């Protein structure tokens, strides 16, 4: 008899299964660890007396993960025979694992307050990669020679056997802290510790610290204080330092709490709770828990200075600040990932970290390029990663996103494709529906209804093109009486009128809407945030179309302006915007499905990563069980994958 413990795991990333294996090896526990497409199975001998101790101890060494879900256990006569997922061997970019964190806070360790602490299955690895294959000689650490202790670890340590980026304070990357007059170089454990202590102290006392992290430069500060050079504290990202007091400041459900503290550490928009938080950020804030060694050590010292949270803005090395914390190793940072959670659904909205690099199937050996990401065949598989980590390779065909610049005729067999086409194909392939007819909705600032006939994606109901210049002229000629609205609007909101009269031509409808409503965050995010604060029931119908079932941006704006003149509250309006879009989509999609005889519905585009719209779509289209991206972001970044199926 065997005792089997299985946990649902919704990714092909190997680090959790590998950490379990390393732990078993260290504990000399006999267990088979098997990862399949949707779970991790541990098979033990039933009579093993150390079983209970092993399972209890696992909680201390295996981190929480976005991809981990419910577990169960049972007995079986035979070992389960299942297909394992492939080994990846790709550089990670997540937070340090519990064992590595322990070293960072253990004064007897060679890595006490060493922010670059990592092991084979955790930490910031990708920022150091310069090209494939992933070996030390192909990373920016190639000139650092491991000390004797690190060398020994590399030969035998369960967590760091053959680890390309092995280093410690004795042989690793140096840190320095500078203010306007002086520079302090950290040379030993005590210095490293002192550097983070001073930085946290500076932030607590109202100063700004520019810090190089594994995810690029961040200007850190206390958002409760005003600072020169930071126009609006409310537009910063909240860095939670004290998880114990998180519930005091934020209104979050269990799924959100678990996601924030997962080893992947995504960005998440959450509702604010405490008065001080509402005062700074309004109804919601983009939040995260420290995601790399630098932020983590700083946060730890911040707690000692009484800070439950800090804030940061992403910037470059030239940003003005009171202090600078820097290191000389070049890094290659990835765009941070934004996560969306609605009950048990988790979607990557946008970004690269956590998701890429990814290994994918690519039978045609095609190279695809979109948004600075490339899919390149290497041996039998293909890897998707930043363009710059690939050397030039031969290929029979090249697919480049239409909007991508700098790729004019570089290959004799070159094809251009549209974002919506590739996004839809990415989702269809993830759900094994390539070749079957389907209806798609791509909503990324503009709304498009798509039809896939089994061969090609067609834009069946495109949006009427939107140009934001000469806006008033377009609105006043929309329909009878529109010119009167323009006149009334000019009287009631002269400043907004003036701004809208001078817009550049290339702004999207959500930016223009945010300006119309006078939101601080003049973007799609700003409208989403405002919509989140509406707690009532809907009912306001915003005009989304006039001609041929197509979405009309000008009619939409006109509708919002009339409500504005009728004194409708902003949050009610923003909520209604998404509700109206949800109804429009919910009405049109079933009609299109009937017309083409398909029940497969695909949703793509970042706009769907929004609570009000998502909830509305579940109500209007729930029966169709719409398909969305699983392993890739729902918006731009799934195109590089989808292009393999065009
Ligand atoms: Zn580790
Ligand atoms: Zn060392």
């Amino acid at each position: 008899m065997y005792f089997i413990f299985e946990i649902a795991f919704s990714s092909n990333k190997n680090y959790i299964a590998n950490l379990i294996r390393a732990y078993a090896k260290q504990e000399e526990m006999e267990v088979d660890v098997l990862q399949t497409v949707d779970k991790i199975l541990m098979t033990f001998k039933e009579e093993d007396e150390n079983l209970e101790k092993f399972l209890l101890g696992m909680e201390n060494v295996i981190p929480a993960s976005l991809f981990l879900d419910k577990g169960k256990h049972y007995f079986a006569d035979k070992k389960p025979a299942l297909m394992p997922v492939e080994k990846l061997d790709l550089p990670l970019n997540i937070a340090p694992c519990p064992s590595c964190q322990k070293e960072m806070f253990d004064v007897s360790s060679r890595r006490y307050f060493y922010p670059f602490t990592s092991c084979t299955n955790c930490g910031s690895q990708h920022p150091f990669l310069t090209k494939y294959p992933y070996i030390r000689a192909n990373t920016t650490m190639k000139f650092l020679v491991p000390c004797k202790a690190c060398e020994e670890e590399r030969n035998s340590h369960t967590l760091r056997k053959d680890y390309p980026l092995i280093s410690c304070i004795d042989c690793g990357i140096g840190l320095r802290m500078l203010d306007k007059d002086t520079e302090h170089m950290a040379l030993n454990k005590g210095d490293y510790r002192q550097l983070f202590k001073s930085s946290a102290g500076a932030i607590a006392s109202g100063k700004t610290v520019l810090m190089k992290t594994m995810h690029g430069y961040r200007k850190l500060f206390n958002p409760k204080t005003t600072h020169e050079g930071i126009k609006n504290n409310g537009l910063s990202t909240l860095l939670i330092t004290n998880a114990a007091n998180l519930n005091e400041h934020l209104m979050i459900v269990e799924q959100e709490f678990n996601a924030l503290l997962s080893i992947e550490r995504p960005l998440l928009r959450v509702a604010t709770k405490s008065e001080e938080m509402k005062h700074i950020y309004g109804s919601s804030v983009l939040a995260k828990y420290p995601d790399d060694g630098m932020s983590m050590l700083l946060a730890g010292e911040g707690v000692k200075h009484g800070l439950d949270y800090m804030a940061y803005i992403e910037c470059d090395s030239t940003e003005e600040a009171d202090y600078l914390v820097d290191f000389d190793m070049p890094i290659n940072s990835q765009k941070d990932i934004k996560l969306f959670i609605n009950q048990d659904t988790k979607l990557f909205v946008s970004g690269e970290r956590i998701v890429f690099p990814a290994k994918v199937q690519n039978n045609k050996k095609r190279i695809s390029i979109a948004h600075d990401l490339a899919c390149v065949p290497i041996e039998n598989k293909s890897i998707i990663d930043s363009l710059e980590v690939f050397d030039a390779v031969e290929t029979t065909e090249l697919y480049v996103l239409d909007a991508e610049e700098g790729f004019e005729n570089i290959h004799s067999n070159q094809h251009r494709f549209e974002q919506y086409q590739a996004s839809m194909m990415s989702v269809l392939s993830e759900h094994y529906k390539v070749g079957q007819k389907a209806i798609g909705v791509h909503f990324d600032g503009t709304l498009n209804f798509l039809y896939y006939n089994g061969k090609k994606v067609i834009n069946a109901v495109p949006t009427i093109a939107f140009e934001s210049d000469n806006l008033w002229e377009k609105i006043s000629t929309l329909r009878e009486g529109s010119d009167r609205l323009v006149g009334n609007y000019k009287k009631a909101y002269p400043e907004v009128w003036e701004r809208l009269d001078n817009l550049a031509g290339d702004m999207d409808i959500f930016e223009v809407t945010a300006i119309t409503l006078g939101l601080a965050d003049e973007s799609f995010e700003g409208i989403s945030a405002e919509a989140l604060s509406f707690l009532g029931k809907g009912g306001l119908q915003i005009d989304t179309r006039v001609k041929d079932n197509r979405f009309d941006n000008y009619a939409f704006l006109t509708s919002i302006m009339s409500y504005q003149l009728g004194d409708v509250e902003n949050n009610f309006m923003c909520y209604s915007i998404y509700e109206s879009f949800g109804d429009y989509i919910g009405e049109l999609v079933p009609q299109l499905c009937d017309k083409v005889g398909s029940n497969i519905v695909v949703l793509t585009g970042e706009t769907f990563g929004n609570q009000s719209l998502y909830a509305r779509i579940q109500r209007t289209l729930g029966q169709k069980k719409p398909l969305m991206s699983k392993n890739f972001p729902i918006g731009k970044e799934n195109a590089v994958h989808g292009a393999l199926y065009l």
Side-chain angles (χ1 to χ4, degrees):
M1 284 288 270
Y2 295 97
F3 174 80
I4 296 167
F5 184 50
E6 65 169 67
I7 330 170
F9 191 75
S10 57
S11 166
N12 67 349
K13 310 271 183 222
N14 302 145
Y15 46 84
I16 298 292
N18 286 344
L19 283 169
I20 298 172
R21 288 188 189 105
Y23 169 58
K25 200 169 170 200
Q26 178 202 311
E27 296 294 302
E28 294 174 0
M29 183 75 192
E30 220 177 294
V31 54
D32 270 355
V33 181
L34 176 78
Q35 183 179 352
T36 72
V37 284
D38 58 0
K39 53 182 171 276
I40 297 171
L41 284 110
M42 287 163 255
T43 306
F44 302 88
K45 281 201 188 120
E46 188 207 347
E47 65 276 13
D48 200 316
E49 55 190 18
N50 297 320
L51 186 61
E52 201 181 324
K53 184 173 153 266
F54 180 82
L55 289 175
L56 280 173
M58 207 160 78
E59 287 175 23
N60 301 323
V61 286
I62 306 306
S65 167
L66 278 183
F67 306 116
L68 279 172
D69 208 339
K70 293 186 179 69
K72 62 175 180 183
H73 53 85
Y74 50 91
F75 295 93
D77 288 332
K78 276 191 261 170
K79 282 190 181 181
L82 294 164
M83 267 298 280
V85 294
E86 203 191 348
K87 262 185 83 192
L88 292 176
D89 292 327
L90 296 173
L92 303 172
N93 201 359
I94 52 178
C97 75
S99 310
C100 287
Q101 280 187 52
K102 219 171 128 190
E103 280 179 81
M104 288 160 79
F105 293 104
D106 173 4
V107 71
S108 69
S109 141
R110 293 184 346 268
R111 298 191 177 89
Y112 183 60
F113 275 80
Y114 183 57
F116 308 95
T117 306
S118 59
C119 70
T120 313
N121 294 299
C122 84
S124 310
Q125 306 176 12
H126 191 272
F128 301 101
L129 181 78
T130 48
K131 63 176 180 179
Y132 283 103
Y134 175 36
I135 52 171
R136 193 173 180 102
N138 290 339
T139 70
T140 48
M141 283 210 198
K142 65 181 167 186
F143 296 117
L144 297 178
V145 182
C147 67
K148 212 165 151 252
C150 283
E151 198 66 71
E152 263 165 39
E153 272 188 325
R154 196 161 60 172
N155 289 332
S156 59
H157 195 275
T158 47
L159 289 171
R160 297 202 182 91
K161 179 123 176 50
D162 301 324
Y163 180 46
L165 298 179
I166 202 155
S167 72
C168 69
I169 288 184
D170 298 334
C171 65
I173 303 169
L175 281 186
R176 56 201 159 88
M177 184 168 182
L178 301 85
D179 63 15
K180 306 237 153 43
D181 317 305
T182 54
E183 172 170 347
H184 296 281
M185 193 66 205
L187 298 170
N188 56 42
K189 285 180 195 180
D191 296 346
Y192 273 72
R193 162 97 205 263
Q194 187 55 44
L195 188 147
F196 287 100
K197 199 174 164 183
S198 311
S199 302
I203 292 167
S205 67
K207 297 270 195 280
T208 55
V209 174
L210 178 63
M211 183 174 269
K212 183 172 180 176
T213 74
M214 264 58 97
H215 311 310
Y217 282 90
R218 286 172 176 172
K219 183 170 177 174
L220 293 130
F221 56 96
N222 182 350
K224 284 197 262 187
T225 332
T226 50
H227 303 274
E228 218 178 301
I230 299 167
K231 270 192 224 116
N232 188 343
N233 286 0
L235 296 182
S236 60
T237 302
L238 182 77
L239 184 71
I240 299 153
T241 50
N242 191 354
N245 291 348
L246 206 151
N247 278 311
E248 221 176 87
H249 299 292
L250 302 172
M251 188 109 70
I252 56 171
V253 297
E254 194 188 342
Q255 288 96 327
E256 291 170 326
F257 185 87
N258 293 342
L260 280 171
L261 268 63
S262 72
I263 190 163
E264 291 86 11
R265 306 283 157 90
L267 282 166
L268 193 64
R269 183 163 284 283
V270 288
T272 51
K273 185 176 174 186
S274 65
E275 278 312 311
E276 61 184 59
M277 203 51 83
K278 280 188 195 300
H279 181 72
I280 308 165
Y281 290 104
S283 56
S284 75
V285 57
L286 203 55
K288 77 145 55 202
Y289 201 55
D291 53 3
D292 80 318
M294 298 291 289
S295 319
M296 192 176 273
L297 293 169
L298 177 70
E301 289 301 306
V303 175
K304 290 178 198 156
H305 281 92
L307 293 173
D308 282 350
Y309 54 84
M310 304 174 184
Y312 70 85
I313 49 171
E314 289 182 348
C315 53
D316 58 36
S317 61
T318 57
E319 181 79 22
E320 283 284 318
D322 297 314
Y323 296 93
L324 168 67
V325 176
D326 212 351
F327 52 89
D328 286 328
M329 193 60 75
I331 53 145
N332 203 341
S333 61
Q334 291 182 295
K335 281 195 205 91
D336 208 352
I337 205 112
K338 247 180 233 166
L339 187 75
F340 171 80
I341 298 183
N342 184 287
Q343 290 171 0
D344 288 327
T345 305
K346 288 185 206 111
L347 302 170
F348 293 116
V349 178
S350 61
E352 301 167 350
R353 198 175 65 77
I354 305 170
V355 172
F356 302 113
K359 236 181 219 185
V360 293
Q361 204 78 40
N362 178 8
N363 299 333
K364 296 174 196 155
K365 304 262 171 186
R366 173 184 291 177
I367 289 183
S368 61
I369 295 170
H371 304 290
D372 283 329
L373 291 164
C375 181
V376 177
I378 292 179
E379 289 161 11
N380 297 321
K381 279 276 165 172
S382 281
I383 295 176
I384 301 177
D385 204 341
S386 324
L387 203 50
E388 63 225 42
V389 297
F390 295 109
D391 277 340
V393 280
E394 292 275 313
T395 185
T396 49
E397 48 178 13
L398 176 67
Y399 276 67
V400 182
L401 179 71
D402 195 45
E404 206 79 357
E405 285 169 9
F407 292 94
E408 279 70 33
N409 301 315
I410 58 164
H411 195 276
S412 57
N413 187 10
Q414 182 167 344
H415 306 260
R416 288 280 181 168
F417 62 88
E418 297 286 343
Q419 174 77 48
Y420 66 82
Q421 297 175 312
S423 287
M424 183 166 182
M425 291 315 295
S426 172
V427 176
L428 287 169
S429 87
E430 278 197 291
H431 294 272
Y432 308 105
K433 304 279 190 227
V434 174
Q436 300 181 43
K437 282 196 256 175
I439 290 297
V441 185
H442 184 74
F443 198 0
D444 209 343
T446 61
L447 177 60
N448 298 282
F449 292 88
L450 316 172
Y451 170 48
Y452 172 62
N453 60 12
K455 292 196 183 83
K456 201 173 169 357
V457 178
I458 300 151
N459 198 346
V461 189
T463 303
I464 296 169
F466 178 62
E467 279 154 11
S468 44
D469 51 354
N470 302 322
L471 193 64
W472 292 120
E473 197 186 304
K474 287 160 191 155
I475 288 179
S476 63
T477 54
L478 189 69
R479 50 170 94 90
E480 235 188 272
S482 297
D483 51 342
R484 210 165 348 135
L485 174 103
V486 173
N488 290 341
Y489 197 88
K490 190 176 182 178
K491 252 181 260 163
Y493 299 98
E495 278 163 29
V496 179
W497 195 94
E498 192 63 37
R499 270 203 76 189
L500 294 180
D501 199 34
N502 290 302
L503 292 178
D506 58 350
M507 299 179 81
D508 79 38
I509 181 71
F510 289 109
E511 290 173 79
V512 177
T513 302
I515 292 172
T516 305
L517 297 177
L519 304 180
D521 184 355
E522 292 177 348
S523 72
F524 165 68
E525 280 275 334
I527 299 172
S528 304
E530 192 67 30
L532 260 188
S533 73
F534 180 70
L535 300 171
K537 277 207 168 73
L540 197 64
Q541 191 64 46
I542 291 169
D543 202 354
T544 42
R545 78 200 111 149
V546 273
K547 292 171 247 171
D548 337 315
N549 263 339
R550 292 166 78 183
F551 175 66
D552 188 317
N553 295 282
Y554 306 107
F556 173 79
L557 268 178
T558 308
S559 184
I560 287 170
M561 287 168 183
S562 348
Y563 281 122
Q564 221 178 348
L565 288 170
D567 282 333
V568 172
E569 292 282 340
N570 265 353
N571 61 359
F572 184 23
M573 191 108 76
C574 291
Y575 174 84
S576 305
I577 286 173
Y578 293 110
E579 204 182 52
S580 303
F581 273 119
D583 290 349
Y584 173 43
I585 294 165
E587 208 181 300
L588 202 52
V589 165
Q591 288 173 21
L592 293 168
C593 283
D594 287 349
K595 217 172 189 172
V596 304
S598 167
N599 247 330
I600 302 172
V601 175
V602 170
L603 305 179
T604 54
E606 288 178 28
T607 313
F608 283 112
N610 167 282
Q611 298 295 349
S612 323
L613 180 63
Y614 189 86
R616 197 68 177 178
I617 293 280
Q618 288 309 308
R619 267 175 64 185
T620 56
L621 277 184
Q623 279 199 317
K624 299 259 183 218
K625 298 203 165 45
L627 307 175
M628 296 185 80
S629 289
K630 290 196 289 191
N631 294 302
F632 301 102
I634 59 171
K636 298 184 177 66
E637 294 88 355
N638 58 8
V640 65
H641 170 244
L644 302 177
Y645 298 89
L646 290 171

